Amino acid sequence: MSAYNPGASFRFTSPFSLVRTIRGVTRPHKGVDFGAAPGTPIPSAGNGKVVFKGLDNRGYGYYVMLEHRNSDGEFIHTLYAHLREPSALNIGERVERGAPIGLVGSTGRSTGPHLHFEVQRHRQPGRALAQPREQVDPMTFDISGLQYPDESNSAATPVRETTAASERVGAICLPITQADGSEFKNAKDLATLLGDEANYLLGLNTWHGGIHISDKKAPWVKDIHPVRCMADGEVVAFRMMPDYLASNFKGQEYRYSNSFCLVRHHFKQPKSAEENKGSTQKENS
């Protein structure tokens, strides 16, 4: 087995664990830590593609997530956190094994310069970004079979489709899961959870054009089951702001973010029964 080893410039400092307390905050340590001098290049664990980069001031700091396929067809994600600065890599960029993905830093919730490294498994071969993702101990995970997510392996076990193509048109999932990682039965159940956050008046006779999913109603979206893309698409714009904005309303302060990620999807409107009937008649004439 070949576990991730970032090289001689790094030293192993903290193991994967279910409970760890830092600065008075107790939470699972979902990865392993490697101490290193600030600015040390961090190598990729395997051939992969950048699927996320961002800033989490209360946790990961600047971080990058790569997507890979394992030799059996399972999608794997590796995460590299506390980078000194935003990674120079772009979303969708392919990264070779050992290529630098960023520099060691101490951004976010950190006690000093180090790399926090995670391995996230899906255990659902052939489905990228499937939920829930499972964090596993990187020191017990074999990285030798990691390859680009859009490459197939002839020796891999064939993937059996469990959903008909016609059922995958449009949205294929809701933006979050339930607390235990299971799917909501339907959008109505999600709206029930969100309550008045689902839709509300933004101003005089103006409805908010979306929904709010906050850690008040769904606390698991912060660290356990994050917000996800609802369907296959392409990131066309995003903005990551380091600090929250604040406003006051009726004597109470509200903190909010103006960060965003805009995804473009291709939507094909299914034909109605009448249109299908007309097409058939035209084809037969």
Side-chain angles (χ1 to χ4, degrees):
M1 189 199 78
S2 177
Y4 178 65
N5 181 357
S9 299
F10 293 79
R11 64 189 185 282
F12 184 79
T13 57
S14 185
F16 179 92
S17 63
L18 296 179
V19 178
R20 188 178 71 161
T21 302
I22 293 182
R23 296 178 179 176
V25 177
T26 300
R27 63 175 66 182
H29 189 227
K30 303 173 186 177
V32 294
D33 292 343
F34 296 92
T40 302
I42 300 169
S44 167
N47 294 341
K49 182 174 71 172
V50 180
V51 291
F52 186 82
K53 55 182 285 189
L55 173 63
D56 174 13
N57 276 324
R58 298 184 178 184
Y60 291 135
Y62 286 114
Y63 69 106
V64 174
M65 184 179 289
L66 302 183
E67 184 174 86
H68 320 264
R69 262 188 199 260
N70 219 347
S71 56
D72 62 358
E74 177 185 3
F75 281 90
I76 304 292
H77 284 96
T78 55
L79 184 147
Y80 312 78
H82 305 303
L83 308 187
R84 186 176 71 179
E85 56 198 24
S87 172
L89 299 174
N90 297 312
I91 300 294
E93 186 170 343
R94 289 159 69 93
V95 182
E96 292 184 350
R97 179 177 183 176
I101 56 91
L103 304 176
V104 169
S106 188
T107 55
R109 186 179 295 274
S110 171
T111 56
H114 73 285
L115 161 66
H116 173 82
F117 175 73
E118 292 184 11
V119 173
Q120 302 179 359
R121 300 192 65 174
H122 298 269
R123 301 190 186 280
Q124 297 187 48
R127 292 191 61 193
L129 296 175
Q131 290 283 357
R133 294 199 293 268
E134 173 190 353
Q135 276 88 3
V136 298
D137 185 348
M139 295 294 96
T140 64
F141 183 81
D142 187 358
I143 65 168
S144 61
L146 296 183
Q147 57 188 313
Y148 296 112
D150 50 359
E151 288 185 356
S152 61
N153 189 319
S154 58
T157 303
V159 177
R160 180 174 65 87
E161 291 288 353
T162 58
T163 307
S166 60
E167 296 176 354
R168 294 197 298 269
V169 174
I172 62 172
C173 66
L174 293 172
I176 66 170
T177 67
Q178 299 187 73
D180 61 359
S182 62
E183 300 290 342
F184 286 95
K185 184 178 179 180
N186 50 44
K188 184 177 180 180
D189 286 352
L190 173 59
T192 299
L193 168 73
L194 299 179
D196 57 3
E197 291 187 358
N199 48 60
Y200 57 91
L201 278 171
L202 186 63
L204 182 63
N205 299 323
T206 303
W207 283 98
H208 182 260
I211 63 173
H212 273 186
I213 300 172
S214 71
D215 58 355
K216 179 179 180 181
K217 294 293 181 68
W220 56 91
V221 302
K222 287 185 63 178
D223 300 308
I224 304 175
H225 304 301
V227 176
R228 57 191 179 173
C229 189
M230 297 178 65
D232 291 343
E234 175 187 7
V235 175
V236 294
F238 69 93
R239 176 174 60 197
M240 303 300 296
M241 304 296 288
D243 298 308
Y244 283 83
L245 302 178
S247 64
N248 287 279
F249 179 69
K250 293 185 178 180
Q252 184 173 350
E253 183 179 84
Y254 293 87
R255 299 177 68 249
Y256 60 95
S257 168
N258 63 349
S259 299
F260 72 91
C261 180
L262 180 65
V263 180
R264 178 169 56 203
H265 306 277
H266 174 71
F267 177 74
K268 185 177 181 180
Q269 178 69 43
K271 289 185 177 181
S272 65
E274 189 64 30
E275 288 175 321
N276 282 327
K277 182 180 178 180
S279 298
T280 303
Q281 291 176 343
K282 185 175 182 180
E283 290 169 0
N284 292 336
S285 61

